[in-house]
Amino acid sequence: MNTKFNRKQIIVFILLVLNCIVLFLTTYSNVQLDRIDNIKVVSKDINNKKSAPKDLFIECYTTTKHSYYSKDLNNQDFARWKKRYHNQIKTEEDAYVAINSMLQSLNDPYSKFLSKEEFLAQNKFIDSKFEGIGVNVASVSGKIYIINVIKNAPAYNNGIKPGDIILRINDNDINGQSIYQVTRLIRADKNQSIKLELLRGSNKFIKNIKREEIKIKTVDYKKLDNDIGYIRISSFIGANTPKDFIVALNRLNEAKALVIDLRGNSGGLFQNAIAISNLFLDKGTIVQVIARNGKKNTYPAKIEGCICKKPLALLVDEDSASASEIMSSALKDNNRAVLIGTKTYGKGLVQRTYAMPNSSGLNLTIAKYLTPNGADINKKGIKPDYTIGFSMSDYINKTDPQLDYAKKYLTEVLKKGENYAIGFNQK
């Protein structure tokens, strides 16, 4: 029997546990895993105001009470948190516990308090840079595997390859340790060297790698066969993502049709999704945002923003979330592109980042969004026009039926001409 898997299930299979963690080996790598969508450009102005721990709690409490998108704050008497911690907060650790407990009561995984270190790390990701060696890792049966190496990063330049197993870090045996334990061992200041003992096949070897500032590349592109271009957006988090996307469009100017790959893209900045969607739309609505007071703000496409009218196919999967879903629904609902792959993640909430005292921050859900057709996709996702699975044999054999189908679809569109109706029958 040929069992079919989507990409998310494949990752779960590889990691052998539901707790799948893929992250950069960087000082504050867990921030990368957050799905963060900011309705405004995140302010990089850190609030250096020195506040007592109790005052930090009160400011987070007040901001949450008056800005959270749901006025009932998850059907609770929110004032109870102020009463509960009255005269109880003495240290910064006390404040963190109180703030996190308060936010957890919202039952909203996207509203989070950020320590000074986490807030700084988030801003670095928005700047599309971080300090590290430039690899993605995963834990498989207690072993730490390198699953991706960033081109031209320190690890890449030292010959490290996907599939290498990390055995020791600075002479510390990491067998059986979690991803987070490993990242604690590998943390170091910029320019400090890290000693890695690795296993490749049956060969053990040692690499001394110096950490560097790494530029994150969120957009990649290439020319496929049959006059089709391919652009992958790995994240919408980078401030330069729209600019990099336009560069990719220009480099693929001779392509007659485009595949845009949003698989595994868990989101990013709200305005990036708006800007990139508008590159393909000269009319219609991109997204509708419902604020705390119930007011609906509609973000229309602007004709002067449209620069590409080529046929489009978008690749999506269960990890395509948030800003990826804004773009997917904008192009789908406006009949501008077809979606190919599996149903998306389903995150229809919007966050804003607030700079809090003591250089900390607060990611808070302040609104929800609807698709151009008025659908609420939160916890539901977006069903693609063509559901194409991804089997384990595809993963092992490095084949991509979803991309193959997109190329087949676009080739047919180009044969039929621009007046050909979107879609064709699967065979």
Side-chain angles (χ1 to χ4, degrees):
M1 181 176 67
N2 184 20
T3 305
K4 296 292 182 180
F5 296 84
N6 57 45
R7 284 175 175 262
K8 191 170 186 177
Q9 289 171 323
I10 289 171
I11 294 174
V12 171
F13 178 87
I14 294 170
L15 301 188
L16 303 179
V17 290
L18 293 176
N19 184 24
C20 167
I21 303 173
V22 179
L23 70 168
F24 287 111
L25 292 180
T26 173
T27 303
Y28 308 111
S29 51
N30 58 312
V31 177
Q32 180 192 347
L33 301 177
D34 296 338
R35 292 183 169 93
I36 303 168
D37 288 280
N38 301 281
I39 198 167
K40 296 182 180 179
V41 175
V42 176
S43 172
K44 296 175 186 173
D45 295 329
I46 296 175
N47 185 347
N48 291 314
K49 174 186 174 184
K50 298 296 182 182
S51 292
K54 64 177 182 179
D55 295 328
L56 173 61
F57 168 77
I58 291 298
E59 186 146 356
C60 289
Y61 164 84
T62 303
T63 301
T64 303
K65 181 179 179 180
H66 295 292
S67 301
Y68 190 65
Y69 86 109
S70 175
K71 287 185 178 181
D72 64 17
L73 296 128
N74 195 26
N75 296 309
Q76 64 176 309
D77 175 15
F78 206 65
R80 70 189 178 99
W81 293 105
K82 189 175 181 180
K83 297 174 184 175
R84 176 175 174 177
Y85 289 108
H86 180 66
N87 290 331
Q88 299 298 312
I89 299 174
K90 308 298 183 183
T91 67
E92 189 172 75
E93 183 178 354
D94 291 341
Y96 287 11
V97 170
I99 294 167
N100 287 323
S101 298
M102 175 183 70
L103 293 174
Q104 286 170 8
S105 74
L106 299 173
N107 194 26
D108 175 5
Y110 310 113
S111 292
K112 293 185 176 184
F113 175 74
L114 303 174
S115 67
K116 177 180 178 180
E117 293 80 9
E118 291 167 334
F119 191 32
L120 177 62
Q122 179 171 291
N123 280 342
K124 283 188 176 183
F125 275 107
I126 293 168
D127 284 335
S128 296
K129 61 185 179 182
F130 65 92
E131 294 174 1
I133 63 173
V135 296
N136 292 92
V137 297
S139 176
V140 183
S141 298
K143 291 183 171 56
I144 303 299
Y145 281 79
I146 293 173
I147 61 172
N148 185 48
V149 182
I150 299 174
K151 189 175 182 179
N152 297 324
Y156 178 91
N157 294 333
N158 279 271
I160 291 179
K161 298 180 179 180
D164 290 347
I165 300 173
I166 303 176
L167 301 176
R168 303 176 72 87
I169 300 174
N170 293 334
D171 296 323
N172 294 292
D173 186 353
I174 63 167
N175 185 47
Q177 295 194 18
S178 70
I179 293 289
Y180 292 110
Q181 290 172 317
V182 171
T183 57
R184 280 198 295 268
L185 287 173
I186 209 165
R187 290 171 184 171
D189 294 332
K190 180 180 177 181
N191 294 326
Q192 282 193 359
S193 292
I194 296 171
K195 180 182 177 182
L196 299 181
E197 182 179 337
L198 301 124
L199 177 67
R200 181 181 300 164
S202 58
N203 299 319
K204 292 182 181 181
F205 59 99
I206 293 175
K207 292 287 184 178
N208 289 293
I209 305 174
K210 183 183 292 186
R211 291 168 57 95
E212 297 177 3
E213 184 175 275
I214 299 170
K215 187 75 173 178
I216 304 171
K217 189 176 182 181
T218 60
V219 177
D220 202 2
Y221 62 92
K222 61 183 176 181
K223 180 73 178 293
L224 303 176
D225 52 352
N226 299 326
D227 296 319
I228 297 171
Y230 170 91
I231 304 177
R232 171 170 172 76
I233 309 175
S234 59
S235 172
F236 286 92
I237 193 65
N240 292 325
T241 299
K243 181 180 71 175
D244 292 342
F245 188 88
I246 292 174
V247 170
L249 280 180
N250 290 333
R251 297 289 174 83
L252 295 172
N253 185 53
E254 295 183 1
K256 297 178 180 178
L258 294 172
V259 176
I260 300 175
D261 194 345
L262 299 178
R263 293 175 296 182
N265 184 330
S266 62
L269 298 179
F270 178 92
Q271 63 271 19
N272 283 353
I274 299 292
I276 295 177
S277 297
N278 205 157
L279 296 174
F280 302 100
L281 296 170
D282 57 6
K283 61 181 179 180
T285 296
I286 295 176
V287 69
Q288 304 176 67
V289 176
I290 311 298
R292 173 187 170 96
N293 59 7
K295 181 181 178 181
K296 181 185 292 186
N297 295 307
T298 299
Y299 291 76
K302 299 178 181 179
I303 189 170
E304 64 272 16
C306 180
I307 65 173
C308 182
K309 296 186 177 181
K310 298 174 181 179
L312 299 174
L314 268 62
L315 303 182
V316 296
D317 64 9
E318 286 191 357
D319 290 317
S320 302
S322 208
S324 292
E325 292 173 300
I326 290 176
M327 181 174 175
S328 297
S329 61
L331 300 185
K332 182 179 189 291
D333 286 4
N334 285 289
N335 297 314
R336 184 60 187 86
V338 295
L339 270 57
I340 296 169
T342 54
K343 189 171 70 172
T344 63
Y345 180 85
K347 179 179 182 289
L349 302 176
V350 181
Q351 282 72 49
R352 177 177 177 179
T353 300
Y354 295 86
M356 292 287 111
N358 302 340
S359 305
S360 62
L362 178 66
N363 287 335
L364 191 68
T365 300
I366 62 166
K368 67 177 181 179
Y369 71 81
L370 307 178
T371 71
N373 288 345
D376 182 351
I377 59 97
N378 196 50
K379 298 182 179 180
K380 301 174 185 176
I382 303 169
K383 184 179 179 181
D385 297 284
Y386 301 102
T387 299
I388 306 296
F390 200 93
S391 70
M392 182 56 65
S393 62
D394 291 321
Y395 182 85
I396 294 172
N397 296 321
K398 298 182 179 180
T399 57
D400 192 338
Q402 295 164 336
L403 178 58
D404 290 343
Y405 191 86
K407 291 191 292 184
K408 177 183 175 183
Y409 164 78
L410 291 173
T411 299
E412 191 72 14
V413 169
L414 293 175
K415 286 181 181 179
K416 297 286 185 177
E418 62 179 341
N419 293 324
Y420 176 54
I422 287 180
F424 67 99
N425 293 327
Q426 299 185 45
K427 296 182 180 179

